[in-house]
Amino acid sequence: MIPRVTPKLPAYAALAALGMMIGLVLGQPAAVILAAPFLLALVVGLALAQQPDFVFSIDVPRDRVMEGDDIDVEIGVTAKTAIETLEVLLVPPLGISTEPEAPVRDIRLVTDESATLHIPAHCLHWGGYQLGNIYLRAQDRLGFFRFEAHLDAGHPVRVYPRPEALRSIPRPAETQVFAGNERSREKGEGIEFIDVRGFVPGDQVRRINWRLSARRGELIVNEFHRERNADVVLLLDTFAEVRNGEDGTHLMAVRGAISLAEQYLQERNRVGVVGFGGILRWLQPAMGARQRYRIVEALIDTDIVLSYAWKGVDIIPRSTLPPKALVIAFTPLLDERAIDALLDLRARGFDLAIIEVSPVPFVTPDASETGQLAFTIWQMEREVLRYRFQCLGVPVALWEIGQSFEQVLREVQGFRRYTRQARA
Amino acid sequence: MLALGVPAISLLILSLSLRWSGGIPWAVAGLGIEYGISLHLRQGATVDPWTAVYAAALLLVAELAYWSLASPPRARLGGEVVERRMLLTIVLLGGSMVMGLLLVLVTQVSVPGSVLWTVLGVAAAVLLLASTAVLERRGGHPLLHHP
């Protein structure tokens, strides 16, 4: 710990010296008597001053929690020497808040004594945090010296976002070969009726439509949609974001992606993640509970990294973007590289849907006439961009802060239904 | 005397309310000078035995003032910490009074004045002042090991 002299020490020394000087110069013994207690306090204080020595530990019993949960931060101190007073201040990272009334705790320990401080904290936002930015300040017995230390224990705490319950999600246009809950366009084993045809040897008897067979006078069998799974890739544009305080486009995008991943995985689909930005991160499509945790971890770790390097979809590993996969992109449509990559994906025949996490509510336009004009032009350019994607058959659903994600997905579904009819 | 006492107390109140420790020594010095002048006007060079009590009271004022500024306003001070600090302050006050009374007794003893005594006293005071200045400039405890 770094020792520092408090203002009390020079003040007492000065008072003692002043009394002595006045006593000597003016020949007033009373001045010396008045100064003597301060001199005594100085001597006692210097004699009792001792550098505090202790072992410090930090623990968070619940280090994997959901957004909005409370956690208890345990700070353990074992004194090797007696500590008169030890003030402990935990500075939480942005996204975690501590009790504002008492961020500082004060304890006193004798030699070899241990104490544990419990500091309640509230997880405001999802994310991976390092909890352990702690300032310690100890004082000697008479308050002449202050010993300060800054510890960065870095205890990891993962706060997972609460996925929004979704009733319906965009259905992939194409399915894969594995069994699942998605209705395939192909005929085969399933439970959803699609057509009828004449009986051929080898057909199962339970497939015979007896009523129709009786009417037509020949054996007719029912045909069904195959039930298959689909590949879904959640693509997050991490080139740029717009933030306003604790909310931002990236935070919204991650929350939406986790909600979608949760729902797709529940329906036995394979889900993968691509963080396309300054740093490329990817997770190959897979299914199951393990993949759910992998996705959440991967999404929490995605971050906006500033980069000027031009990047296209070529840098994404092929296995991450399997053929016939539904690609759902979360983007604020701010960076040219992300926009180009999305256009490229569409040109390569991927089934693409864009959820535009709108940066507009986070932007405060300049009050001047020019500023207002620039803001209007910017919004119009965004409209044009949206229209460009829609002309290519790509749904672009605008998601603004405060808007239900379910509603945004319904917009995507509505557009996809309409485009399929138009193609037909 | 009011011209010294009232500003000193006002400065003390102001320092406490503004949490400014720089005003405390000036306030205590003002109170001490005010007492010294009143004593000189009343008794001349004779020392009043109550001076030891007044000196201890000045120390108490300074201790309590610094104590009130030492902890952050929102800190939760444990009962044990307060008890221990109070005990130490009481012991210090007792020691101060004993030392003050001893000094009062010493002043009763007539010692022939000499240049040597004066030089010794001045040297001690200068040394004290110099060590104060050095301590303040270094910003660290010279006797403690800096890690």
Side-chain angles (χ1 to χ4, degrees):
Chain A
M1 295 182 93
I2 301 168
R4 293 185 197 286
V5 171
T6 62
K8 190 179 169 183
L9 178 65
Y12 273 35
L15 285 171
L18 183 74
M20 299 290 169
M21 290 295 283
I22 291 174
L24 279 167
V25 173
L26 301 177
Q28 289 290 330
V32 178
I33 297 170
L34 286 173
F38 294 97
L39 198 61
L40 177 72
L42 269 178
V43 172
V44 172
L46 287 171
L48 294 178
Q50 191 183 18
Q51 171 103 5
D53 192 8
F54 57 86
V55 179
F56 170 87
S57 67
I58 180 166
D59 188 30
V60 183
R62 284 178 65 216
D63 56 1
R64 285 168 190 266
V65 290
M66 300 295 286
E67 212 172 22
D69 282 358
D70 289 324
I71 53 171
D72 189 30
V73 184
E74 291 181 0
I75 296 172
V77 184
T78 304
K80 288 184 175 174
T81 57
I83 301 172
E84 190 57 27
T85 57
L86 181 69
E87 292 170 24
V88 183
L89 172 67
L90 174 71
V91 182
L94 194 71
I96 291 183
S97 70
T98 50
E99 201 182 338
E101 290 79 23
V104 177
R105 302 304 173 95
D106 215 333
I107 51 171
R108 182 187 161 272
L109 297 169
V110 296
T111 309
D112 294 330
E113 192 187 357
S114 297
T116 306
L117 294 172
H118 294 270
I119 299 178
H122 183 69
C123 302
L124 298 169
H125 290 290
W126 62 264
Y129 301 105
Q130 292 286 328
L131 207 61
N133 189 11
I134 292 170
Y135 288 88
L136 299 167
R137 188 167 63 183
Q139 279 199 352
D140 68 323
R141 285 187 182 170
L142 276 175
F144 287 133
F145 299 101
R146 190 178 288 152
F147 305 92
E148 293 174 345
H150 173 233
L151 300 170
D152 202 355
H155 191 90
V157 175
R158 311 286 286 181
V159 181
Y160 300 121
R162 285 191 188 277
E164 192 177 326
L166 303 172
R167 279 177 292 181
S168 62
I169 48 177
R171 295 289 158 205
E174 304 281 346
T175 53
Q176 302 292 331
V177 292
F178 299 105
N181 291 356
E182 293 295 335
R183 191 184 64 190
S184 170
R185 287 182 178 181
E186 295 165 13
K187 295 169 186 173
E189 291 299 313
I191 56 170
E192 199 159 331
F193 175 79
I194 183 172
D195 202 358
V196 290
R197 63 167 169 80
F199 181 85
V200 291
D203 279 341
Q204 290 180 348
V205 177
R206 65 190 177 101
R207 296 276 184 202
I208 296 173
N209 188 331
W210 292 108
R211 191 174 296 220
L212 193 62
S213 300
R215 206 182 305 152
R216 290 194 183 175
E218 59 174 332
L219 283 175
I220 304 291
V221 290
N222 289 333
E223 287 185 311
F224 297 91
H225 281 289
R226 266 189 186 163
E227 292 197 339
R228 291 285 178 262
N229 76 342
D231 285 350
V232 180
V233 176
L234 304 169
L235 191 142
L236 272 81
D237 170 9
T238 56
F239 277 112
E241 73 160 338
V242 183
R243 252 187 124 117
N244 189 1
E246 290 177 345
D247 287 310
T249 54
H250 184 63
L251 294 171
M252 286 173 68
V254 169
R255 197 168 286 130
I258 285 178
S259 303
L260 266 185
E262 183 88 9
Q263 197 65 32
Y264 278 118
L265 286 170
Q266 272 180 15
E267 297 185 3
R268 298 173 54 80
N269 295 301
R270 296 200 312 159
V271 181
V273 173
V274 176
F276 188 62
I279 294 176
L280 180 74
R281 293 172 189 272
W282 71 88
L283 191 65
Q284 289 189 358
M287 55 198 291
R290 191 189 287 179
Q291 180 72 355
R292 182 187 304 162
Y293 290 111
R294 278 196 202 130
I295 287 173
V296 173
E297 292 286 337
L299 286 172
I300 282 177
D301 288 337
T302 57
D303 206 358
I304 306 297
V305 178
L306 187 70
S307 166
Y308 294 105
W310 188 266
K311 289 174 183 175
V313 285
D314 297 333
I315 62 166
I316 301 173
R318 285 190 178 184
S319 55
T320 310
L321 282 174
K324 298 182 184 177
L326 166 65
V327 180
I328 300 178
F330 291 83
T331 171
L333 291 178
L334 289 170
D335 196 282
E336 277 297 318
R337 291 166 290 186
I339 295 164
D340 269 22
L342 293 174
L343 290 169
D344 195 5
L345 277 176
R346 184 58 185 161
R348 290 172 191 226
F350 280 98
D351 185 15
L352 180 65
I354 295 175
I355 292 167
E356 181 196 341
V357 188
S358 177
V360 179
F362 300 105
V363 177
T364 311
D366 192 43
S368 68
E369 197 180 335
T370 318
Q372 292 288 334
L373 182 66
F375 188 67
T376 310
I377 290 171
W378 179 58
Q379 283 183 302
M380 287 166 74
E381 281 176 352
R382 296 182 65 79
E383 278 287 337
V384 170
L385 188 62
R386 224 170 279 144
Y387 181 70
R388 193 175 159 198
F389 275 110
Q390 285 168 352
C391 286
L392 293 169
V394 178
V396 182
L398 191 67
W399 186 19
E400 293 193 332
I401 187 165
Q403 193 183 357
S404 159
F405 188 50
E406 176 96 36
Q407 190 186 335
V408 178
L409 293 179
R410 282 189 186 278
E411 273 184 50
V412 175
Q413 285 168 277
F415 185 91
R416 284 164 69 83
R417 201 175 298 126
Y418 166 75
T419 48
R420 274 184 209 168
Q421 281 173 356
R423 277 181 207 162
Chain B
M1 289 307 101
L2 282 174
L4 263 174
V6 171
I9 289 173
S10 306
L11 182 64
L12 186 66
I13 293 167
L14 196 71
S15 304
L16 291 175
S17 48
L18 296 177
R19 298 188 63 79
W20 174 54
S21 61
I24 296 169
W26 294 104
V28 173
L31 288 171
I33 291 168
E34 183 261 342
Y35 178 75
I37 292 172
S38 71
L39 197 68
H40 180 70
L41 291 177
R42 277 188 281 125
Q43 296 181 354
T46 318
V47 177
D48 184 4
W50 283 99
T51 307
V53 179
Y54 192 85
L58 277 184
L59 180 68
L60 180 66
V61 168
E63 276 294 312
L64 292 178
Y66 277 112
W67 191 9
S68 66
L69 299 186
S71 301
R74 291 183 294 178
R76 287 181 182 171
L77 279 172
E80 202 185 355
V81 175
V82 177
E83 274 175 29
R84 205 172 151 81
R85 186 73 187 264
M86 280 174 69
L87 189 70
L88 193 65
T89 309
I90 290 166
V91 169
L92 202 63
L93 290 177
S96 299
M97 272 200 276
V98 170
M99 197 170 79
L101 288 171
L102 281 172
L103 283 171
V104 170
L105 283 175
V106 167
T107 56
Q108 308 298 322
V109 180
S110 60
V111 179
S114 71
V115 178
L116 183 68
W117 281 111
T118 310
V119 168
L120 204 63
V122 169
V126 167
L127 192 69
L128 197 62
L129 273 174
S131 57
T132 306
V134 168
L135 274 177
E136 192 156 16
R137 201 174 62 229
R138 284 178 64 172
H141 189 339
L143 306 176
L144 295 172
H145 169 66
H146 191 300

